[in-house]
């Protein structure tokens, strides 16, 4: 069966103090990293549970590099021990602060894909991504980006969209382009934050970025939301869970082996069990998880009638908090609808071309 398990080996601890981060409020375990006996169990179980010939390990946090380089060296050894002919991939999402030559040599040698968090130009980045002493972190992130390029490590950028950078979509796109970034993700800040961008502004930002991309960078730069919706216009299911019909195949393993339904639902009621007590495959096949995945298909009347349902599928259930449309409706709808309405004629043309 297909599923992905995202690991948080260092728990929710971080070496930055981003002013919008909800992990800062979460309780931290005192352990530096997942212990090696658990790591071995997790890697063996995960590889054995995936029926496909390729297995991807996703390392996130908090800040996953805080688990230390030795932790990942051990992880790779376990992966080799249990691969049994399967191809293993690793993807690490990091703020870049700890990346140095030793890290980059390791990441390069073991073919890691890196996701680097960068919120735009140095000034925009430093509006919220602060060090523990309250200073901006842009300089360190740019150093990390240069190192990744120097070592030719494949990487993408993750930009959190908030009320400061949302008006600067074009500038951010061109800034990242000037840094030779070839895969960009723009993820809106959600939750109860005063720093959130409005859905309208986020929609306009997507349109602005799309315009820049369409004018000069088709086939050269990948932007996640464009790529995902392009898939839908080609008649395929988007690969990103939030735009698919159902979900439930993106689980999380915490530092202590607890497995949860999804990173957006790390709450006691969504805990499926612990990998030390129950084989992973049994946790995945738990009817509770099957039901969780189907919640996404319960769409509001507005979504059911929407012309863009095939591309959006109501977005993530976590963001469906608007009442009055039968089932709860997505707070990002205005952004999605605006952007899709604008992009539709272009994506239709591109789909004809790609076909
Ligand atoms: S709840 Fe949201 S983030 Fe989690 S798997 Fe479903 S669509 Fe994805
Ligand atoms: S654009 Fe809005 S109405 Fe249409 S499917 Fe998405 S969330 Fe639903």
């Amino acid at each position: 069966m297909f599923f992905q398990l995202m690991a948080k080996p260092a728990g929710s601890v971080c070496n930055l103090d981003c002013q919008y981060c909800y992990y800062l409020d979460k309780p931290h375990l005192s352990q530096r990293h997942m212990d090696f006996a658990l790591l071995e169990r997790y890697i063996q179980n995960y590889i054995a549970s995936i029926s496909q010939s390729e297995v991807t390990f996703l390392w996130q946090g908090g800040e996953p590099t805080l688990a230390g380089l030795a932790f990942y060296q051990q992880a790779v050894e376990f992966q080799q021990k249990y691969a049994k002919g399967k191809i293993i991939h690793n993807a690490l999402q990091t703020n870049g602060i700890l990346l140095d030559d030793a890290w980059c040599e390791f990441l390069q040698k073991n073919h890691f894909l890196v996701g680097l968090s960068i919120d735009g130009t140095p000034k925009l980045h430093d509006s919220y991504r602060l060090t523990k002493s309250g200073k901006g972190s842009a300089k360190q992130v740019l150093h990390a980006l240069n190192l990744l390029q120097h070592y030719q490590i494949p990487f993408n950028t993750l930009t959190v969209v908030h009320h400061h950078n949302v008006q600067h979509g074009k500038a951010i796109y061109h800034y990242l382009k000037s840094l030779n970034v070839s895969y960009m993700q723009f993820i809106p800040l959600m939750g109860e934050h005063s720093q959130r961008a409005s859905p309208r502004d986020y929609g306009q930002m997507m349109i602005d970025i799309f315009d820049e991309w369409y004018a000069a960078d088709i086939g050269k730069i990948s932007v996640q939301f464009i790529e995902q919706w392009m898939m839908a216009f080609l008649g395929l299911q988007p690969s990103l869970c939030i735009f698919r019909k159902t979900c439930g195949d993106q689980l999380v393993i915490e530092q202590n082996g607890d497995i949860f339904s999804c990173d957006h639902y790390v709450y006691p009621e969504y805990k499926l069990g612990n990998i030390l007590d129950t084989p992973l495959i049994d946790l995945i096949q738990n009817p509770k998880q099957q039901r969780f995945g189907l919640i996404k298909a319960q769409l509001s009347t507005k979504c059911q009638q929407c012309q863009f349902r095939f591309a959006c599928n109501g977005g993530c259930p976590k963001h469906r908090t608007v009442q009055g449309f039968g089932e709860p409706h997505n707070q990002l709808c205005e952004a999605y609808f605006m952007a899709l309405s604008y992009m539709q004629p272009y994506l239709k043309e591109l789909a004809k071309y790609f076909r």
Side-chain angles (χ1 to χ4, degrees):
M1 68 182 301
F2 176 80
F3 68 96
Q4 281 196 317
L5 193 55
M6 183 188 112
K8 297 187 192 171
S12 53
V13 289
C14 190
N15 47 359
L16 283 184
D17 206 357
C18 301
Q19 300 299 292
Y20 51 57
C21 181
Y22 65 96
Y23 280 129
L24 296 178
D25 305 330
K26 293 225 170 198
H28 293 162
L29 300 176
S30 54
Q31 236 174 292
R32 182 165 171 218
H33 58 68
M34 181 185 275
D35 75 52
F36 285 149
L38 173 58
L39 176 67
E40 183 167 13
R41 169 87 64 111
Y42 152 50
I43 288 175
Q44 182 182 21
N45 249 250
Y46 185 36
I47 294 173
S49 308
I50 297 269
S51 50
Q52 284 79 5
S53 59
E54 300 192 20
V55 184
T56 300
F57 284 81
L58 304 170
W59 307 100
Q60 297 208 9
E63 173 49 42
T65 56
L66 287 173
L69 191 46
F71 175 85
Y72 292 95
Q73 285 161 338
Q74 183 62 69
V76 168
E77 272 181 39
F78 287 142
Q79 288 171 348
Q80 285 161 356
K81 180 173 169 188
Y82 294 109
K84 301 215 165 81
K86 288 185 181 170
I87 298 165
I88 306 291
H89 302 284
N90 284 283
L92 178 85
Q93 179 62 45
T94 176
N95 61 27
I97 301 299
L98 289 182
L99 293 190
D100 59 11
D101 288 309
W103 267 102
C104 288
E105 277 164 22
F106 168 80
L107 297 170
Q108 182 204 50
K109 183 171 164 228
N110 294 289
H111 311 290
F112 272 56
L113 170 68
V114 174
L116 185 68
S117 298
I118 177 168
D119 283 1
T121 58
K123 190 166 171 235
L124 291 169
H125 179 90
D126 285 347
S127 41
Y128 290 128
R129 297 193 69 86
L130 305 181
T131 64
K132 296 283 181 198
S133 56
K135 297 202 177 85
S137 60
K139 218 170 149 187
Q140 289 151 285
V141 175
L142 285 174
H143 177 65
L145 191 145
N146 288 334
L147 273 176
L148 290 170
Q149 287 175 332
H150 175 75
Y151 281 90
Q152 298 183 323
I153 296 164
F155 73 98
N156 51 55
T157 54
L158 191 159
T159 299
V160 175
V161 177
H162 50 71
H163 67 164
H164 273 162
N165 63 5
V166 72
Q167 310 286 353
H168 304 279
K170 284 187 187 188
I172 295 172
Y173 181 84
H174 284 290
Y175 177 68
L176 295 175
K177 187 176 162 179
S178 74
L179 296 172
N180 294 319
V181 172
S182 57
Y183 192 94
M184 308 174 189
Q185 300 170 72
F186 298 91
I187 311 290
L189 178 65
M190 299 301 290
E192 302 303 314
H193 290 282
S194 55
Q195 302 105 323
R196 277 181 53 182
S198 72
R200 176 175 290 264
D201 285 349
Y202 177 50
Q204 188 58 50
M205 184 194 202
M206 289 197 276
I207 291 170
D208 293 345
I209 290 170
F210 177 78
D211 275 343
E212 300 310 296
W213 173 84
Y214 192 83
D217 296 325
I218 297 172
K220 296 183 205 154
I221 291 179
S222 292
V223 179
Q224 188 188 49
F225 72 87
I226 301 174
E227 197 173 73
Q228 290 295 316
W229 285 340
M230 191 69 244
M231 288 169 88
F233 277 85
L234 281 165
L236 306 166
Q237 269 244 50
S239 58
L240 193 65
C241 59
I242 61 171
F243 296 137
R244 290 208 308 265
K245 285 183 185 156
T246 58
C247 63
D249 51 9
Q250 308 287 318
L251 296 93
V252 172
I253 179 166
E254 290 280 341
Q255 195 189 40
N256 63 0
D258 284 349
I259 306 277
F260 288 87
S261 294
C262 159
D263 189 35
H264 285 188
Y265 287 91
V266 180
Y267 306 117
E269 59 272 37
Y270 294 97
K271 181 175 155 181
L272 299 168
N274 190 294
I275 198 171
L276 293 173
D277 308 323
T278 317
L280 183 57
I281 195 75
D282 293 346
L283 296 172
I284 306 295
Q285 289 172 346
N286 184 333
K288 194 172 154 183
Q289 185 62 5
Q290 315 297 318
R291 285 196 296 276
F292 175 84
L294 292 175
I295 290 170
K296 192 177 187 316
Q298 294 168 11
L299 296 175
S300 67
T301 46
K302 207 170 165 181
C303 290
Q304 285 174 39
Q305 293 157 7
C306 177
Q307 60 176 311
F308 299 123
R309 178 176 164 179
F310 71 101
C312 170
N313 281 304
C316 174
K318 184 70 194 287
H319 305 149
R320 296 180 187 169
T321 54
V322 182
Q323 303 299 325
F325 299 96
E327 295 291 334
H329 190 64
N330 200 310
Q331 22 175 332
L332 289 172
C333 173
E334 189 180 2
Y336 294 152
F337 196 88
M338 251 176 94
L340 279 161
S341 301
Y342 182 85
M343 290 161 61
Q344 170 170 231
Y346 303 99
L347 292 181
K348 274 186 179 164
E349 278 307 305
L350 281 175
K352 270 191 218 156
Y353 172 78
F354 286 133
R355 276 196 199 101

